[in-house]
């Protein structure tokens, strides 16, 4: 079954909704009509189009690369209306809460991001649906890419584009260039409307053909065409959607980063109440209590989702409610005195199973040090032992070594079952203190992966989905970016609530998910995923022994070969130049050496690209592009492996320790991080 990627032009729909919707306001007077219109559009999309991956893309603030090419680009556009501005600011976060990934990429437009994603999805063999009201997007339509407009219920495939515009999708750029775009202030041929553009393209095939035969076109319109000839190449570039935007920063895991997720019901309920979206508020509140319903359109996501939902519906029909029942009260306590710790040890001696979690100084499991340990005994009943907080945050703390020494028999007791969230990480933390965490009997992350491999498995998401409860987030306590503080600086009262909640929720969610598994899923969970996690822990702990001296020798060899290739390139070019400079390479290849540029890809600024694809096209016929490619390949080997790997050797073990992510891909494959 082919995957489907649903892409939404958020900026286009924001303006269309603003002009189409009746004026609405929140109780505090904030305009909400356009916001409501776009959210309603997304609701319909999620209901009408079955999709596995999705994104809503907005224009970034400020100018983009087209303004560098043509300073008057969009100069005639009026500023954003005052009543639309607050709605535009609220919209991205509201969309995220609805479970849609949101992308805002500087220096390009939403169209370019959508075009890039559409091409990537198409290259992966996926079906791509682009929801927009922008006619420029018709240039993206292909066998795998279609356009939809939820406001007009219009759908455009290849035939649809031809029927609507009179030209094929591959002629749309030529068509738009000839007409120009008054909205974006892109100059075209004066008095050239759709009928004239279609007529010329039917007769001459392409913009280039029209320009070559401009002298044959008589009358005033022919004179206008000849007058426009000098600026038409620039207009062509301005209306061409960029399809090679670098999205590595935004999409760390590639298209996998765009997997759809469950709406944040509790947070949406708060926002809907504030905005006075009463019908949606009622539905959101119902979903909070019912569980994983989809306010914005129920859709199966591939065979994995269908199987999971079938299993869940069978369990529901057996009388199991959609969300775990909440305890009548919470009992979260900080353990800071010897008397409290003695009581905790007594409880551990009588317990059969506990939830457990660690708070640490780092996400790197081999280097992280303990800040605290949380233990849950039952739903709503958990404790937190601060061990590494600053004196200001937690004035009273027990001695770390003494606590670990007395907890060690319980942590290493295989009879005392341990439940957690990604317990492989916590295993490493305890192993850093010479404690072997035994008795691992459950992991909420892996249980979720068994049931819903197509969704996310973070504790925050799981709590929303299966408990109907929001979590205290790390960022809400520590902040983010340059101003982020360490967890050791978080005040004890807040740290206790956060840490105890983690252990409590992991215990509740794992139990709840396990109860929803059928016999086959339970077998896979207990006899495949949990044991595999232990194998991966051993692999990560053992690390990979690499020969630092051999890598240094290879790095030196690569360096020598790179110098040789560099000198060879200089000889062919007839001068020294920076092999890593696209501008200098462009000048050498196409200006000085005169290599033909017809058919070669252009950059956003209009020059000929010197990316890998272009160089591979030229390499069979010209020696310099071949040398440049070889140089780039060896440089990557040197920087990524022979130079980098020795720097990643753990000074305590002498080995490189990667992390294997187990609950990532629907296919079951592993991912490796730091290093990959």
């Amino acid at each position: 079954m082919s995957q489907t990627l649903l892409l939404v032009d958020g900026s286009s729909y924001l303006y269309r909704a603003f002009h189409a919707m009746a004026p609405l306001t929140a109780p505090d007077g904030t305009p909400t009509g356009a916001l409501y219109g776009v959210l309603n559009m997304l609701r319909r999309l999620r209901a009408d189009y079955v999709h596995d991956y999705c994104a809503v893309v907005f224009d970034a603030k400020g100018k983009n690369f087209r303004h560098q090419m043509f300073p008057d680009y969009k100069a005639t556009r009026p500023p954003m209306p005052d009543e639309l501005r607050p709605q535009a600011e609220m919209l991205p976060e509201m969309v995220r809460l609805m479970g849609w990934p949101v992308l805002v990429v500087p220096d390009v437009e939403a169209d370019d991001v959508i075009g890039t994603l559409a091409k990537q999805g198409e290259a992966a063999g996926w079906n791509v649906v682009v929801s927009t009201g922008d006619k420029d997007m018709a240039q993206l339509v292909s066998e795998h890419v279609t356009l939809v407009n939820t406001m007009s219920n219009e759908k455009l495939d290849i035939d649809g584009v031809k029927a609507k515009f009179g030209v094929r999708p591959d002629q749309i750029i030529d068509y738009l260039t000839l007409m120009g775009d008054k909205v974006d202030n892109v100059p075209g041929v004066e008095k050239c409307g759709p009928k004239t553009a279609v007529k010329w393209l039917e007769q001459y095939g392409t913009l280039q053909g029209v320009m070559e035969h401009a002298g044959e076109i008589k009358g005033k319109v022919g004179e206008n065409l000849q007058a426009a000839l000098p600026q038409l190449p620039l207009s062509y570039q301005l209306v061409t959607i960029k399809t090679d935007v670098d999205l590595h920063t935004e999409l760390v895991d590639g298209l996998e980063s765009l997997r759809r997720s469950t709406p944040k019901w509790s947070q949406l309920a708060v926002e809907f109440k504030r905005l006075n979206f009463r019908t949606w508020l009622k539905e959101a509140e119902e979903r909070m209590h019912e569980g994983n319903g989809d306010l914005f359109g129920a859709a199966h996501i591939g065979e994995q989702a269908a199987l999971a939902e079938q299993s869940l519906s069978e369990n529901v029909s057996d009388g199991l409610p959609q969300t775990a029942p909440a305890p009548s009260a919470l009992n979260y306590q900080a353990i800071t005195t010897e008397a409290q710790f003695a009581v905790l040890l007594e409880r551990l001696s009588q317990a059969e199973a506990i939830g457990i979690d660690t708070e640490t100084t780092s996400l790197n499991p081999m280097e992280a040090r303990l800040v605290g340990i949380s233990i849950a005994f039952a739903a709503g009943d958990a404790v937190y032992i601060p061990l590494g907080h600053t004196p200001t945050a937690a004035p009273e703390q027990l001695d770390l070594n003494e606590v670990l020494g007395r907890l060690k028999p319980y942590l290493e007791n295989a009879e005392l079952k341990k439940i957690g969230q990604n317990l492989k990480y916590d295993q490493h933390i305890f192993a850093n203190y010479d404690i072997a965490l035994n008795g691992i009997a459950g992991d909420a992350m892996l249980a979720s992966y068994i049931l819903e491999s197509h969704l996310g498995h973070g504790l925050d998401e799981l709590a929303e989905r299966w408990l109907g409860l929001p979590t205290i987030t790390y960022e809400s306590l520590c902040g983010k970016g340059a101003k982020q503080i360490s967890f050791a600086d978080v005040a004890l009262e807040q740290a206790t609530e956060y840490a105890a909640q983690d252990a409590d929720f992991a215990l509740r969610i794992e139990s709840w998910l396990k109860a929803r598994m059928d016999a086959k899923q339970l077998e896979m969970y207990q006899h495949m995923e949990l044991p595999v996690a232990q194998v991966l822990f051993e692999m990560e702990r053992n690390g990979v022994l690499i020969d630092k001296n051999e890598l240094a020798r290879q790095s030196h060899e690569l360096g020598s070969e790179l110098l040789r290739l560099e000198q060879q390139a200089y000889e062919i070019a007839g001068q020294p130049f920076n092999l890593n400079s696209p501008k200098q390479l462009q000048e050498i290849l196409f200006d000085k050496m005169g290599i033909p540029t017809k058919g070669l890809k252009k950059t956003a600024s209009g020059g000929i690209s010197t990316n890998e694809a272009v160089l591979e096209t030229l390499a069979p016929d010209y020696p310099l592009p071949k040398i440049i490619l070889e140089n780039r390949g060896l440089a990557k080997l040197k920087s990524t492996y022979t130079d980098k790997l020795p720097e990643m050797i753990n000074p305590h073990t002498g080995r490189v320790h990667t992390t294997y992510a187990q609950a990532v891909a629907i296919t079951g494959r592993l991912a490796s991080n730091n290093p990959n």
Side-chain angles (χ1 to χ4, degrees):
M1 181 184 293
S2 178
Q3 306 277 30
T4 296
L5 172 62
L6 177 57
L7 301 172
V8 180
D9 183 354
S11 295
S12 166
Y13 270 97
L14 178 64
Y15 275 91
R16 288 170 64 83
F18 176 68
H19 293 295
M21 293 292 296
L24 300 174
T25 56
D28 64 358
T30 302
T32 59
L35 181 65
Y36 183 92
V38 176
L39 296 183
N40 198 42
M41 178 269 291
L42 294 178
R43 170 181 176 145
R44 288 178 56 188
L45 274 174
R46 183 153 278 187
D48 293 345
Y49 292 90
V50 177
H51 59 282
D52 316 272
Y53 300 85
C54 57
V56 179
V57 187
F58 294 95
D59 287 324
K61 292 182 180 179
K63 296 183 178 181
N64 58 68
F65 72 92
R66 290 184 177 87
H67 292 93
Q68 298 173 12
M69 298 162 58
F70 184 52
D72 289 332
Y73 180 65
K74 292 190 176 182
T76 55
R77 278 201 176 187
M80 180 179 287
D82 290 340
E83 57 269 39
L84 183 56
R85 196 173 303 279
Q87 301 182 74
E89 292 173 354
M90 286 188 287
L91 183 57
E93 182 57 26
M94 292 293 295
V95 171
R96 286 190 184 94
L97 293 178
M98 286 169 55
W100 293 77
V102 171
L103 293 176
V104 182
V105 182
D107 301 323
V108 295
E109 297 182 66
D111 291 7
D112 303 308
V113 178
I114 290 173
T116 299
L117 292 173
K119 289 300 181 184
Q120 290 180 2
E122 188 176 22
W126 295 3
N127 294 319
V128 181
V129 177
V130 179
S131 182
T132 182
D134 190 345
K135 66 181 182 299
D136 294 11
M137 293 284 199
Q139 64 188 268
L140 301 175
V141 170
S142 67
E143 289 185 8
H144 293 284
V145 180
T146 56
L147 304 187
V148 299
N149 185 334
T150 56
M151 290 186 175
S152 62
N153 292 321
E154 181 183 57
K155 300 178 183 178
L156 295 179
D157 55 10
I158 294 175
D159 292 337
V161 170
K162 185 71 165 67
K164 180 173 182 176
F165 298 105
V167 296
R168 304 183 307 272
D170 63 286
Q171 295 175 304
I172 286 289
I173 302 175
D174 299 344
Y175 170 82
L176 296 173
T177 301
L178 290 169
M179 293 192 301
D181 189 336
K182 291 184 178 179
V183 175
D184 289 344
N185 199 36
V186 175
V189 177
E190 186 71 19
K191 304 295 184 182
C192 176
K195 290 183 180 179
T196 301
V198 170
K199 176 184 175 182
W200 287 347
L201 290 173
E202 283 180 344
Q203 188 169 359
Y204 302 112
T206 64
L207 174 66
Q208 188 64 35
V210 173
M211 294 173 68
E212 289 172 357
H213 293 85
E216 302 172 11
I217 300 174
K218 305 302 181 184
K220 184 63 176 177
V221 71
E223 293 176 12
N224 291 340
L225 172 60
Q226 293 184 55
L229 289 178
Q231 117 278 313
L232 287 180
L234 173 61
S235 295
Y236 182 93
Q237 293 179 52
L238 291 173
V239 300
T240 299
I241 292 175
K242 190 172 171 62
T243 59
D244 60 352
V245 177
D246 186 351
L247 298 176
H248 289 97
T249 301
E250 288 76 17
L251 305 181
V252 177
D253 296 321
L255 292 178
E256 191 65 32
S257 303
L258 301 181
R259 185 171 290 282
R260 58 175 281 176
S261 61
T262 304
K264 308 290 187 184
W265 301 121
S266 59
Q267 292 169 265
L268 281 172
V270 171
E271 293 300 320
F272 290 160
K273 184 175 183 179
R274 179 176 67 85
L275 297 168
N276 201 32
F277 295 167
R278 286 173 290 185
T279 301
W280 291 353
L281 170 61
K282 181 180 178 181
E283 291 181 347
E285 289 175 336
E286 289 174 356
R287 299 307 182 198
M288 286 170 58
H289 297 296
E290 292 175 5
N292 195 27
D294 196 340
L295 169 63
F296 299 96
H300 296 291
I301 309 173
E303 295 181 13
Q304 293 280 345
L307 291 171
E309 290 186 11
Q310 178 183 355
S311 172
L312 296 185
S313 63
E314 289 171 355
N315 281 327
V316 171
S317 67
D318 290 338
L320 194 61
Q322 281 290 88
T323 54
S328 57
L330 292 181
N331 178 28
Y332 292 166
Q333 180 187 16
I335 304 297
T336 59
T337 69
E338 174 58 36
Q340 291 171 328
F341 188 57
V343 172
L344 171 62
L345 294 178
E346 177 62 26
R347 294 190 72 185
L348 285 172
S349 68
Q350 298 177 15
E352 294 183 1
I354 58 171
I356 192 162
D357 187 55
T358 57
E359 303 304 332
T360 65
T361 59
S362 170
L363 293 177
N364 184 327
M366 296 296 295
E367 297 178 358
R369 310 306 293 173
L370 272 169
V371 176
I373 302 169
S374 53
I375 297 172
F377 292 94
D381 181 8
V383 301
Y384 177 59
I385 315 169
L387 297 169
H389 284 265
T390 60
T392 303
E396 191 174 7
Q397 297 178 79
L398 296 171
D399 179 75
L400 182 146
N401 292 325
E402 184 175 345
V403 166
L404 291 181
R406 294 165 72 181
L407 282 179
K408 184 172 182 176
Y410 300 99
L411 296 173
E412 294 189 338
N413 181 6
E415 299 300 316
L416 177 59
K417 296 177 181 177
K418 319 298 191 306
I419 314 293
Q421 167 76 7
N422 189 20
L423 270 178
K424 177 159 63 70
Y425 173 85
D426 302 282
Q427 269 188 283
H428 281 297
I429 303 307
F430 287 120
N432 291 344
Y433 293 89
D434 196 30
I435 295 174
L437 187 67
N438 290 318
I440 293 177
D443 192 310
M445 179 185 75
L446 298 180
S448 172
Y449 184 56
I450 287 289
L451 283 174
E452 300 178 311
S453 60
H454 59 291
L455 296 180
H457 313 291
L459 193 62
D460 292 347
E461 289 183 67
L462 296 180
E464 288 277 355
R465 213 150 63 223
W466 295 111
L467 303 181
L469 297 172
T471 58
I472 305 165
T473 64
Y474 186 87
E475 287 77 13
S476 69
L477 296 181
C478 300
K480 56 185 178 181
K483 295 183 179 179
Q484 187 177 71
I485 64 173
S486 79
F487 195 78
D489 292 315
V490 175
L492 180 58
E493 183 177 352
Q494 295 174 301
T496 297
E497 187 178 3
Y498 171 86
Q501 184 184 80
D502 279 358
D504 173 23
F505 280 13
L507 184 66
R508 286 198 237 175
I509 292 167
E510 193 276 341
S511 175
W512 192 245
L513 294 181
K514 192 160 62 175
R516 306 182 82 85
M517 294 180 190
D518 59 28
K520 185 175 181 181
Q521 290 169 329
L522 190 62
E523 171 76 14
M524 183 170 288
Y525 175 53
Q526 294 180 329
H527 298 288
M528 175 71 76
E529 297 297 346
L530 286 172
V532 163
Q534 296 308 300
V535 174
L536 297 179
F537 167 75
E538 294 292 343
M539 291 169 63
E540 292 174 0
R541 199 74 196 168
N542 288 337
V544 178
L545 183 64
I546 65 174
D547 190 329
K548 188 175 182 179
N549 294 331
E550 173 61 18
L551 285 173
R553 186 190 66 77
Q554 292 182 10
S555 193
H556 179 74
E557 282 187 2
L558 289 171
S560 299
E561 181 63 11
L562 287 169
L563 285 174
R564 187 188 69 79
L565 290 170
E566 197 172 80
Q567 292 301 318
Q568 194 174 348
Y570 295 165
E571 291 173 10
I572 294 173
Q575 68 178 73
F577 67 99
N578 183 354
L579 274 64
N580 295 315
S581 168
K583 186 174 185 298
Q584 292 185 33
L585 184 56
Q586 187 183 97
E587 292 171 353
I588 294 290
L589 292 175
F590 308 119
D591 296 341
K592 183 175 182 179
M593 300 182 67
I595 293 177
T597 61
K598 186 176 181 180
L600 297 181
K601 185 177 180 61
K602 292 186 176 181
T603 65
S605 60
I608 302 300
S609 173
T610 56
N611 66 14
E612 190 170 333
V614 170
L615 294 178
E616 285 177 346
T617 300
L618 299 175
D621 300 314
Y622 303 96
L624 184 55
K626 184 176 180 180
I627 289 172
I628 298 296
L629 283 172
E630 190 174 351
N631 179 277
R632 288 182 181 179
L634 293 182
K636 185 172 183 179
L637 280 176
K638 187 175 186 296
S639 63
T640 306
Y641 299 104
T642 61
D643 287 352
K644 186 70 174 177
L645 283 176
E647 296 175 0
M648 303 188 76
I649 295 175
N650 185 298
H652 304 294
T653 67
R655 292 170 175 252
V656 173
H657 300 268
T658 189
T659 297
Y660 295 105
Q662 189 174 353
V664 173
I666 288 179
T667 58
R669 67 169 175 79
L670 296 172
S672 173
N673 304 302
N674 298 321
N676 183 348

